Amino acid sequence: MPATYKFFAEFAQTWGLIYFVAVFAVVLVYALAPSRKDRFDAASRMPLQED
């Protein structure tokens, strides 16, 4: 295998993992932020409301 392939494969694996962990952390903070509790509670009751 060429050295460039190995370099890019390792680069993609390392930084891809870091990228997805960072995205997961941002989504988790967004979902669990106390300021969004009222919005998410209202959205959870929406399917049960009569039109």
Side-chain angles (χ1 to χ4, degrees), residues 27-50:
V27 169
L28 193 64
V29 167
Y30 172 78
L32 297 178
S35 63
R36 291 180 177 75
K37 183 178 180 348
D38 293 335
R39 183 185 303 171
F40 289 149
D41 284 343
S44 70
R45 288 188 301 275
M46 197 176 292
L48 303 175
Q49 293 177 349
E50 296 290 330

Side-chain angles (χ1 to χ4, degrees), residues 10-36:
E10 290 176 2
F11 179 83
Q13 291 171 356
T14 302
W15 291 103
L17 175 64
I18 292 170
Y19 171 75
F20 282 115
V21 167
V23 169
F24 177 77
V26 168
V27 169
L28 193 64
V29 167
Y30 172 78
L32 297 178
S35 63
R36 291 180 177 75

